Short mmCIF file of all heavy atoms in Angstrom, two decimals:
data_model
loop_
_atom_site.label_atom_id
_atom_site.label_comp_id
_atom_site.label_asym_id
_atom_site.label_seq_id
_atom_site.Cartn_x
_atom_site.Cartn_y
_atom_site.Cartn_z
N THR A 35 -3.24 7.11 15.85
CA THR A 35 -2.72 5.72 15.96
C THR A 35 -2.56 4.99 14.71
O THR A 35 -2.03 3.90 14.64
CB THR A 35 -3.83 4.94 16.87
OG1 THR A 35 -5.05 5.17 16.26
CG2 THR A 35 -3.83 5.39 18.34
N GLY A 36 -3.12 5.54 13.68
CA GLY A 36 -3.21 4.91 12.38
C GLY A 36 -2.00 4.98 11.48
O GLY A 36 -0.95 5.53 11.93
N ASN A 37 -2.21 4.43 10.30
CA ASN A 37 -1.15 4.46 9.31
C ASN A 37 -0.94 5.78 8.54
O ASN A 37 -1.51 5.78 7.42
CB ASN A 37 -1.48 3.23 8.42
CG ASN A 37 -0.57 3.09 7.25
OD1 ASN A 37 0.57 3.66 7.34
ND2 ASN A 37 -1.03 2.64 6.18
N VAL A 38 -0.33 6.75 9.12
CA VAL A 38 -0.05 7.97 8.43
C VAL A 38 1.22 8.52 8.85
O VAL A 38 1.59 8.56 10.00
CB VAL A 38 -1.20 9.07 8.72
CG1 VAL A 38 -1.56 9.22 10.09
CG2 VAL A 38 -1.06 10.24 7.97
N ASP A 39 1.99 9.02 7.86
CA ASP A 39 3.24 9.76 8.15
C ASP A 39 3.02 11.20 8.17
O ASP A 39 2.31 11.71 7.30
CB ASP A 39 4.32 9.44 7.12
CG ASP A 39 4.83 7.95 7.20
OD1 ASP A 39 4.51 7.36 8.27
OD2 ASP A 39 5.47 7.46 6.23
N VAL A 40 3.59 11.87 9.12
CA VAL A 40 3.45 13.36 9.36
C VAL A 40 4.75 14.01 8.97
O VAL A 40 5.81 13.56 9.45
CB VAL A 40 3.00 13.69 10.74
CG1 VAL A 40 2.80 15.19 10.91
CG2 VAL A 40 1.60 12.93 11.10
N VAL A 41 4.73 15.01 8.18
CA VAL A 41 5.93 15.77 7.82
C VAL A 41 5.75 17.18 8.21
O VAL A 41 4.78 17.88 7.78
CB VAL A 41 6.20 15.70 6.20
CG1 VAL A 41 7.52 16.43 6.04
CG2 VAL A 41 6.27 14.20 5.90
N LEU A 42 6.56 17.67 9.14
CA LEU A 42 6.49 19.06 9.63
C LEU A 42 7.50 19.93 8.88
O LEU A 42 8.71 19.53 8.76
CB LEU A 42 6.76 19.08 11.11
CG LEU A 42 5.79 18.35 12.04
CD1 LEU A 42 6.27 18.48 13.48
CD2 LEU A 42 4.37 18.78 11.83
N CYS A 43 7.01 20.99 8.15
CA CYS A 43 7.86 21.79 7.37
C CYS A 43 7.90 23.24 7.91
O CYS A 43 7.28 24.09 7.40
CB CYS A 43 7.47 21.79 5.91
SG CYS A 43 7.24 20.16 5.24
N PRO A 44 8.58 23.49 9.11
CA PRO A 44 8.69 24.76 9.59
C PRO A 44 9.71 25.60 8.74
O PRO A 44 10.38 24.96 7.93
CB PRO A 44 9.17 24.58 11.03
CG PRO A 44 10.01 23.33 10.91
CD PRO A 44 9.41 22.51 9.91
N PRO A 45 9.73 26.88 8.99
CA PRO A 45 10.89 27.66 8.33
C PRO A 45 12.27 26.98 8.62
O PRO A 45 12.38 26.47 9.72
CB PRO A 45 10.81 29.05 9.02
CG PRO A 45 9.28 29.13 9.34
CD PRO A 45 8.92 27.81 9.81
N ALA A 46 13.13 27.05 7.68
CA ALA A 46 14.42 26.36 7.85
C ALA A 46 15.11 26.72 9.17
O ALA A 46 15.88 25.87 9.73
CB ALA A 46 15.30 26.62 6.70
N LEU A 47 15.02 27.94 9.61
CA LEU A 47 15.64 28.41 10.77
C LEU A 47 15.28 27.54 12.02
O LEU A 47 16.08 27.48 13.00
CB LEU A 47 15.13 29.87 11.03
CG LEU A 47 15.81 30.74 12.01
CD1 LEU A 47 17.25 30.93 11.64
CD2 LEU A 47 15.03 32.14 12.01
N TYR A 48 14.10 26.93 11.96
CA TYR A 48 13.66 26.19 13.15
C TYR A 48 13.82 24.61 13.01
O TYR A 48 13.37 23.88 13.86
CB TYR A 48 12.16 26.49 13.46
CG TYR A 48 11.82 27.98 13.60
CD1 TYR A 48 10.66 28.44 13.05
CD2 TYR A 48 12.69 28.80 14.24
CE1 TYR A 48 10.36 29.81 13.15
CE2 TYR A 48 12.34 30.21 14.36
CZ TYR A 48 11.22 30.62 13.76
OH TYR A 48 10.97 32.01 13.88
N LEU A 49 14.44 24.22 11.98
CA LEU A 49 14.45 22.77 11.73
C LEU A 49 15.27 22.04 12.80
O LEU A 49 14.86 20.98 13.19
CB LEU A 49 15.06 22.48 10.38
CG LEU A 49 14.06 22.62 9.18
CD1 LEU A 49 14.80 22.68 7.82
CD2 LEU A 49 13.02 21.62 9.15
N THR A 50 16.43 22.57 13.23
CA THR A 50 17.16 21.96 14.28
C THR A 50 16.51 22.02 15.59
O THR A 50 16.54 20.94 16.38
CB THR A 50 18.60 22.61 14.46
OG1 THR A 50 18.49 23.97 14.51
CG2 THR A 50 19.65 22.17 13.35
N THR A 51 15.80 22.96 15.93
CA THR A 51 14.94 22.99 17.09
C THR A 51 13.85 21.86 16.97
O THR A 51 13.71 21.08 17.89
CB THR A 51 14.25 24.36 17.32
OG1 THR A 51 15.24 25.35 17.33
CG2 THR A 51 13.46 24.39 18.58
N ALA A 52 13.20 21.89 15.85
CA ALA A 52 12.01 20.85 15.65
C ALA A 52 12.58 19.47 15.88
O ALA A 52 11.98 18.67 16.37
CB ALA A 52 11.52 21.08 14.28
N ARG A 53 13.82 19.19 15.40
CA ARG A 53 14.40 17.84 15.43
C ARG A 53 14.39 17.42 17.00
O ARG A 53 14.10 16.21 17.25
CB ARG A 53 15.77 17.85 14.86
CG ARG A 53 16.32 16.43 14.83
CD ARG A 53 17.75 16.44 14.26
NE ARG A 53 18.54 17.26 15.05
CZ ARG A 53 19.92 17.57 14.78
NH1 ARG A 53 20.50 16.97 13.76
NH2 ARG A 53 20.56 18.31 15.60
N GLN A 54 14.62 18.32 17.86
CA GLN A 54 14.59 17.91 19.32
C GLN A 54 13.31 17.44 19.85
O GLN A 54 13.22 16.73 20.84
CB GLN A 54 15.12 19.07 20.07
CG GLN A 54 16.68 19.34 19.78
CD GLN A 54 17.07 20.73 20.29
OE1 GLN A 54 16.34 21.35 21.06
NE2 GLN A 54 18.11 21.26 19.70
N TYR A 55 12.25 17.80 19.21
CA TYR A 55 10.92 17.45 19.64
C TYR A 55 10.48 16.12 19.06
O TYR A 55 9.48 15.56 19.55
CB TYR A 55 9.92 18.50 19.24
CG TYR A 55 10.00 19.77 19.95
CD1 TYR A 55 11.01 20.74 19.64
CD2 TYR A 55 9.08 20.10 20.95
CE1 TYR A 55 10.96 21.94 20.34
CE2 TYR A 55 9.17 21.27 21.70
CZ TYR A 55 10.16 22.25 21.33
OH TYR A 55 10.16 23.38 22.01
N ILE A 56 11.15 15.58 18.08
CA ILE A 56 10.75 14.43 17.42
C ILE A 56 11.50 13.16 17.80
O ILE A 56 12.67 13.19 17.99
CB ILE A 56 10.99 14.61 15.88
CG1 ILE A 56 10.01 15.72 15.40
CG2 ILE A 56 10.69 13.39 15.01
CD1 ILE A 56 10.21 16.22 13.99
N THR A 57 10.70 12.17 18.15
CA THR A 57 11.30 10.86 18.56
C THR A 57 11.81 10.11 17.31
O THR A 57 10.90 9.89 16.38
CB THR A 57 10.28 10.01 19.33
OG1 THR A 57 9.65 10.70 20.20
CG2 THR A 57 10.86 8.75 19.85
N PRO A 58 13.09 9.84 17.23
CA PRO A 58 13.60 9.15 16.06
C PRO A 58 12.81 7.79 15.85
O PRO A 58 12.41 7.11 16.81
CB PRO A 58 15.05 8.82 16.26
CG PRO A 58 15.43 9.79 17.33
CD PRO A 58 14.19 10.09 18.11
#
Side-chain angles (χ1 to χ4, degrees):
T35 49
N37 169 27
V38 55
D39 287 348
V40 178
V41 184
L42 300 177
C43 308
L47 195 60
Y48 307 141
L49 284 166
T50 44
T51 304
R53 189 183 53 182
Q54 291 159 22
Y55 287 78
I56 293 174
T57 311

